[in-house]
Amino acid sequence: MKIAILGGGHGAYAAAADLSEAGHEVRLWRRDAAALEPVIRTGSITLKDAAGSRDVKIALATPDIGAAMNDAELIVLPTPAIAQDDIARTMAPHLVDGQVVFLPPGTFGSYVMARIVAESGNRADVAWAETGTLPYLARKHGEREVNVTIRAIRLPTGVYPARKEEAAIAVIRKAYPSVHGCGDALSGALMNAGPIIHPPLMVMNAAPLQHFERWDIHNEGTQPSVRAVTDKLDRERMAVREALGHGAPHYPLADHYNNDQWMYGDAHKQLVKSGDWRENIDLHSHRYITEDTELGLAFLASAARYAGVDAPIAHGLLAIVGGFLGRDLRKGPRTLETLGLDKLTPAELRKRLHDGA
């Protein structure tokens, strides 16, 4: 299958190498041509995992997004949600009927990006899908080298518009067999693990994060008090899903720590053992704040308000982060209020997400 990978981060390089090794024709797009040059020059990415290290040939690495997207059946964006608006505008002229765009994860980006593309004047019949996490726990170890600690074994995925769910899931499963449908885009967005795991870790580790040059929030930073808050926040997420009509499985985050039933299977020990997450984290600019809190947690809190679900942990964490950022995060760009969806009745919202706007 012809696949376009859009992005230049850990997940994009992992996807490009992994899907190329699986036999797909992969085109990797990165806006920064200078940073992409080592991959362009060698035509490969070094993939490291439990099987060892090897160079994997990439069909095309290019700063030309049109060349990457041309004839692609599947377009994968393993990019932070904060980049989605700009990428949507950049890719809009090149989207054509029948393509599937996959956001792992999405932060309700499937709906937002589809709207941006439509507003650009492109009315191509495209399916947008989003899941709850990246397909990989991965970190780049060099300018064209990526280390994959673990691959997801379950990827619940929502589709916008939901009427295209069956066809879109079938396409994505050619690349990621672990994908399974979980309903519409709202259901997919409420599977997102980042806004559950990362805001408590950032808030409750704020002092060591600012004091130490490098800190592993998944090792020393994950203590019983943090876990207790995370579990309560996740129960709020699951209550919102239930209130909005989205049934189980909800993939409770507790499974990530306690057993092998979560999206990555039994992954937490491997994540800590890798050492790849001992890093410098800035409390103002890191994606755990800009993506998972300002966008993702604010989205969850707005969905709780819409559904009438009491969510004190979500709103409390949002208030604390807003306190040190100096702004009210309840008015973020991904809230249902900002998107104008809070005025719809639940039946109208379901119809909008099923049919498309």
Side-chain angles (χ1 to χ4, degrees), residues 201-223:
L201 287 171
M202 298 295 278
V203 168
M204 300 179 76
N205 285 278
L209 284 172
Q210 290 192 318
H211 178 74
F212 294 108
E213 183 179 353
R214 298 167 70 82
W215 182 255
D216 190 335
I217 58 173
H218 297 289
N219 190 0
E220 297 94 340
T222 303
Q223 299 298 328

Side-chain angles (χ1 to χ4, degrees), residues 2-351:
K2 293 180 179 178
I3 302 175
I5 308 291
L6 308 185
H10 310 294
Y13 275 49
D18 198 54
L19 296 177
S20 291
E21 189 172 55
H24 298 287
E25 182 183 320
V26 171
R27 298 85 165 271
L28 173 64
W29 170 80
R30 185 174 185 178
R31 187 191 311 276
D32 187 339
L36 186 60
E37 194 278 333
V39 182
I40 296 174
R41 173 170 39 82
T42 62
S44 66
I45 291 174
T46 300
L47 175 62
K48 297 165 59 180
D49 58 16
S53 177
R54 63 273 190 197
D55 279 355
V56 178
K57 290 294 183 182
I58 308 298
L60 177 67
T62 177
D64 181 345
I65 196 168
M69 291 174 55
N70 184 45
D71 290 334
E73 186 176 359
L74 177 64
I75 302 165
V76 183
L77 278 79
T79 54
I82 56 174
Q84 289 170 351
D85 289 17
D86 185 56
I87 292 177
R89 288 186 285 269
T90 304
M91 69 193 297
H94 308 288
L95 283 164
V96 298
D97 289 348
Q99 289 182 311
V100 176
V101 182
F102 183 42
L103 311 176
T107 318
F108 207 46
S110 53
Y111 178 84
V112 172
M113 293 185 74
R115 188 168 75 170
I116 290 172
V117 170
E119 289 172 350
S120 78
N122 186 336
R123 296 295 193 269
D125 187 19
V126 174
W128 302 77
E130 61 181 272
T131 188
T133 189
L134 273 170
Y136 316 92
L137 286 177
R139 279 292 185 268
K140 290 166 73 176
H141 283 182
E143 55 190 10
R144 64 173 194 89
E145 179 178 274
V146 65
N147 181 61
V148 174
T149 300
I150 201 164
R151 293 167 175 81
I153 60 173
R154 304 174 186 91
L155 288 171
T157 299
V159 177
Y160 179 78
R163 60 182 171 80
K164 300 180 74 66
E165 178 183 12
E166 184 177 353
I169 294 296
V171 170
I172 301 168
R173 282 182 60 85
K174 295 179 188 177
Y176 295 107
S178 55
V179 160
H180 68 84
C182 71
D184 61 29
L186 184 57
S187 176
L190 290 171
M191 287 291 191
N192 195 343
I196 307 303
I197 192 170
H198 294 136
L201 287 171
M202 298 295 278
V203 168
M204 300 179 76
N205 285 278
L209 284 172
Q210 290 192 318
H211 178 74
F212 294 108
E213 183 179 353
R214 298 167 70 82
W215 182 255
D216 190 335
I217 58 173
H218 297 289
N219 190 0
E220 297 94 340
T222 303
Q223 299 298 328
S225 59
V226 180
R227 281 291 323 284
V229 171
T230 302
D231 287 347
K232 288 182 172 62
L233 177 60
D234 202 37
R235 284 198 286 274
E236 293 176 0
R237 174 189 69 89
M238 292 185 282
V240 171
R241 284 184 53 80
E242 291 282 358
L244 293 173
H246 302 299
H250 300 304
Y251 288 93
L253 189 62
D255 288 347
H256 170 64
Y257 298 97
N258 298 333
N259 55 56
D260 63 356
Q261 298 304 302
W262 199 63
M263 300 181 206
Y264 289 126
D266 189 8
H268 185 67
K269 294 184 182 67
Q270 295 181 59
L271 184 153
V272 171
K273 184 180 178 181
S274 74
D276 275 350
W277 278 260
R278 183 171 300 282
E279 57 188 337
N280 178 268
I281 294 180
D282 182 89
L283 285 176
H284 289 77
S285 62
H286 197 278
R287 72 171 187 84
Y288 293 166
I289 294 295
T290 60
E291 176 179 19
D292 292 328
T293 307
E294 291 189 72
L295 297 184
L297 188 61
F299 170 81
L300 172 61
S302 74
R305 292 192 294 271
Y306 178 83
V309 171
D310 188 28
I313 303 297
H315 286 95
L317 289 168
L318 206 59
I320 292 171
V321 176
F324 65 67
L325 292 181
R327 53 185 178 273
D328 186 353
L329 301 187
R330 292 173 299 177
K331 301 176 181 179
R334 290 287 171 96
T335 63
L336 296 183
E337 294 92 342
T338 300
L339 295 171
L341 297 176
D342 64 312
K343 301 297 191 292
L344 301 179
T345 67
E348 290 170 336
L349 180 58
R350 284 192 295 272
K351 180 174 173 57

